[in-house]
Amino acid sequence: EGSLVKEGEKIAVLESSKNIELSVFAPTEGTLKYVTQEGAIISSRPETGSYNASLLAVINFQTPQPLLHPNGEIKTNTIPFIVIWLILGSIFFTLRLKFVNIRGFRHSLDLARGKYDDPDAPGTITHFQAMATAVSATVGLGNIAGVAVAISLGGAGATFWMFLAGFFGMSLKFAECTLGVKYRFIDDEGRIFGGPMNYLRYGLEKRNLKRLGKFLAILFAVLGVGASFGGGNMLQSNQAFKIVSEQIPFLQGQGFWFGIGFALLVGAVIIGGINSIAKVTAKVVPVMAILYVLGCLVVIGYHIEYIGGAFLAIFDGAFSAEALKGGFIGVLIIGLQRAAFSSEAGVGSAAIAHSASKTNNPIADGYASLVEPFIDTMLICTMTALVLIFTGMHETSSGLGGVELTADAFGSVVSWFPSVLAVAVFLFAFSTMVSWSYYGMRSWTFLFGKSKKVEAVYKILYLGFVVLGASVSLGAVLSFADMMILAMSFPNIIGLYILAPEINADMKVYWKKLKEGKLYINPKFSKAKD
């Protein structure tokens, strides 16, 4: 007590419940002060009803030190411009469209159920398939690895801001998916070309902003191609290989062959275009979401006595005097950034998937898309956060990051749970890659032409990047690719602001038709009503 200790010096000996001696070493240099007395019991898990793990000792630094995140990064309170851009956009459209995310939610579920599916409408996939394709692209490793990083950096309070950003993001998704269908182009063979490239190019031309529209459309398409190869492809295959090889040891060091197998699997789906992509995602997305949510509920149920402390930790971390005084901005940024990256609301990618939807009313796809950030951010991201908080991993597992931290949380309840998580991660990565191949291809055809040869070149390149992602260490390349996905929101949201009056006017007309019962209702649902 009170002595000056060096980093790595032994400061305590613990005896585990299995009578195994464990030595504790000083993590830094400074003056030692014990919090737990000799002979007392200490646990690495928070006490029931609490959310703080027990402290063994405190070391006071001899000289001032920068404040660090648990992963060793220096804490800063600078807000990335792109995060402000996305959050302001989502709040603007929530207010401009009079909280369509609440008013239209029930109708969104009806569209997903197929109540308004007209088999004779132009397009190739149903509202549910479009929604499943968009969700499959966003429900990926960001929901597992990304949330773990957010919670380890921002603490439990980041969960609240993540949830809130997901809520506002629903309105931004509504705006972009509406325009994605409205400005689509269907060729003589029935192939569909749509998404932000079209409404930026032709929507802005209608408003006498042809040059700006052309520039923004090309910028979006270039970023879309880059993002599809990086964040939508290499990141996914790299992380999928990482977690699968941990569960199947003989795969370790065999990244190239894993990549070849993964590329063949992805290729079997993407060769058939949006129809086969939509059919696969419509089956995979519900399975993987249910599998993952059930796993989370088992972990939460096992630690149910911590429920009060867990929610106290979330609100305390988001609003307490301590949070407001020091880390509030940091917690806010991390929560908002994770939600923005996770749901891709404002990025424009979902508008490409929805442009293939069978509909006579573009605004219907805006409503259908409302449920996507709800599933992705408000449900699955929140579930991951709760698992980490309920198991105390956000407090005690510094040094672990991403997928490993979440796997550790699952493994603390049932030893074989990380295997279930590995299956979920593999499905998440696979579905994300399949959907992003379509997003990238539509950006590619906008830049280089709409021929099938041009599409084939892109698909071959895309499958090559699957192999590359699994067999190399990516590092900074992935950070760059992630930023490209978020950068797509810059040209996209400029266009959305300019076209906001058009979206609002279309929404009023559609809502009036819905209230008056003038929309087509699938005979299956009218018979059920009779």
Side-chain angles (χ1 to χ4, degrees):
E1 177 79 43
S3 59
L4 187 67
V5 293
K6 291 193 171 80
E7 186 178 343
E9 193 175 329
K10 191 188 286 190
I11 57 171
V13 178
L14 307 181
E15 187 179 52
S16 77
S17 56
K18 294 174 183 173
N19 299 322
I20 298 168
E21 280 196 359
L22 306 163
S23 297
V24 181
F25 302 94
T28 189
E29 187 178 306
T31 308
L32 179 68
K33 182 186 176 186
Y34 287 107
V35 175
T36 300
Q37 299 306 309
E38 191 174 350
I41 292 172
I42 187 168
S43 172
S44 64
R45 295 275 176 267
E47 293 175 23
T48 304
S50 166
Y51 55 91
N52 291 320
S54 310
L55 274 179
L56 174 69
V58 172
I59 296 176
N60 292 310
F61 295 116
Q62 292 295 97
T63 54
Q65 300 288 322
L67 202 58
L68 301 177
H69 287 301
N71 68 351
E73 288 178 20
I74 295 174
K75 283 190 177 181
T76 58
N77 281 349
T78 54
I79 306 181
F81 165 75
I82 210 77
V83 175
I84 301 174
W85 183 246
L86 281 161
I87 299 305
L88 288 179
S90 59
I91 293 171
F92 170 82
F93 279 99
T94 300
L95 298 175
R96 183 77 172 83
L97 302 173
K98 298 183 177 69
F99 287 88
V100 68
N101 47 354
I102 298 173
R103 291 189 300 129
F105 191 73
R106 189 177 168 187
H107 183 55
S108 174
L109 295 175
D110 282 339
L111 284 159
R113 285 165 57 217
K115 186 175 178 180
Y116 299 93
D117 283 354
D118 182 351
D120 300 322
T124 57
I125 60 176
T126 65
H127 289 302
F128 177 76
Q129 287 174 332
M131 191 185 80
T133 303
V135 169
S136 72
T138 58
V139 178
L141 292 162
N143 304 75
I144 299 173
V147 173
V149 172
I151 298 298
S152 67
L153 293 181
T159 310
F160 177 82
W161 299 111
M162 204 163 55
F163 188 89
L164 199 66
F167 169 76
F168 284 112
M170 292 165 76
S171 306
L172 201 49
K173 264 274 173 85
F174 175 92
E176 61 192 9
C177 291
T178 293
L179 293 175
V181 178
K182 186 172 184 178
Y183 286 92
R184 69 184 176 183
F185 166 72
I186 304 175
D187 71 8
D188 296 338
E189 295 176 32
R191 290 189 304 153
I192 295 171
F193 302 86
M197 303 80 70
N198 284 33
Y199 59 73
L200 290 171
R201 173 76 177 80
Y202 303 109
L204 268 60
E205 187 178 335
K206 263 174 44 177
R207 295 184 168 260
N208 297 317
L209 295 167
K210 185 176 178 178
R211 279 188 178 179
L212 176 65
K214 202 171 182 180
F215 168 73
L216 293 176
I218 291 169
L219 175 61
F220 180 90
V222 169
L223 291 169
V225 170
S228 75
F229 288 147
N233 181 334
M234 291 172 77
L235 169 64
Q236 310 299 325
S237 63
N238 183 269
Q239 292 290 291
F241 172 65
K242 190 172 184 179
I243 196 162
V244 171
S245 62
E246 279 174 13
Q247 298 304 314
I248 308 171
F250 79 81
L251 280 176
Q252 287 177 9
Q254 304 296 323
F256 176 78
W257 295 109
F258 176 87
I260 292 283
F262 210 2
L264 290 172
L265 198 61
V266 172
V269 177
I270 70 172
I271 298 299
I274 187 62
N275 286 341
S276 62
I277 291 170
K279 281 174 187 169
V280 169
T281 54
K283 289 180 175 69
V284 171
V285 169
V287 171
M288 72 183 188
I290 291 165
L291 180 75
Y292 187 68
V293 170
L294 284 176
C296 292
L297 289 173
V298 169
V299 176
I300 292 165
Y302 185 82
H303 291 286
I304 198 68
E305 72 268 25
Y306 297 131
I307 190 163
F311 282 101
L312 185 65
I314 292 167
F315 287 101
D316 201 55
F319 296 109
S320 70
E322 190 184 333
L324 292 168
K325 186 172 65 187
F328 173 72
I329 297 294
V331 172
L332 178 73
I333 294 163
I334 287 158
L336 299 184
Q337 193 168 9
R338 178 42 44 208
F341 186 82
S342 174
S343 71
E344 291 176 18
V347 170
S349 51
I352 302 173
H354 278 273
S355 65
S357 187
K358 285 175 84 73
T359 186
N360 291 304
N361 300 293
I363 212 88
D365 269 82
Y367 282 105
S369 70
L370 282 179
V371 81
E372 291 160 20
F374 175 81
I375 294 169
D376 177 83
T377 307
M378 297 170 77
L379 178 64
I380 294 178
C381 281
T382 304
M383 280 288 180
T384 304
L386 289 176
V387 162
L388 294 165
I389 296 163
F390 271 74
T391 55
M393 289 295 164
H394 70 299
E395 287 271 330
T396 59
S397 286
S398 58
L400 285 178
V403 172
E404 302 105 311
L405 186 60
T406 313
D408 205 24
F410 275 89
S412 69
V413 175
V414 183
S415 60
W416 49 264
F417 250 46
S419 302
V420 176
L421 184 67
V423 173
V425 166
F426 183 81
L427 288 174
F428 284 1
F430 171 68
S431 65
T432 300
M433 290 161 79
V434 162
S435 299
W436 266 97
S437 72
Y438 184 69
Y439 299 164
M441 188 174 70
R442 281 293 159 259
S443 299
W444 181 271
T445 53
F446 182 82
L447 293 169
F448 301 110
K450 297 181 173 68
S451 76
K452 287 185 178 177
K453 280 183 183 175
V454 168
E455 286 187 359
V457 169
Y458 173 82
K459 287 173 184 176
I460 292 163
L461 279 172
Y462 192 81
L463 295 175
F465 275 96
V466 176
V467 180
L468 191 64
S471 51
V472 298
S473 178
L474 297 173
V477 177
L478 288 179
S479 300
F480 173 70
D482 291 354
M483 276 313 295
M484 284 191 92
I485 290 180
L486 287 179
M488 289 162 69
S489 65
F490 183 67
N492 183 43
I493 293 176
I494 290 175
L496 293 180
Y497 280 136
I498 295 168
L499 296 168
E502 196 174 314
I503 300 164
N504 198 37
D506 289 351
M507 186 184 75
K508 284 178 181 173
V509 172
Y510 181 85
W511 197 249
K512 191 174 178 227
K513 281 183 183 176
L514 177 66
K515 292 289 181 194
E516 292 172 359
K518 290 180 179 175
L519 292 178
Y520 174 89
I521 294 178
N522 195 292
K524 281 194 296 186
F525 288 86
S526 51
K527 280 175 191 171
K529 196 175 177 184
D530 293 342

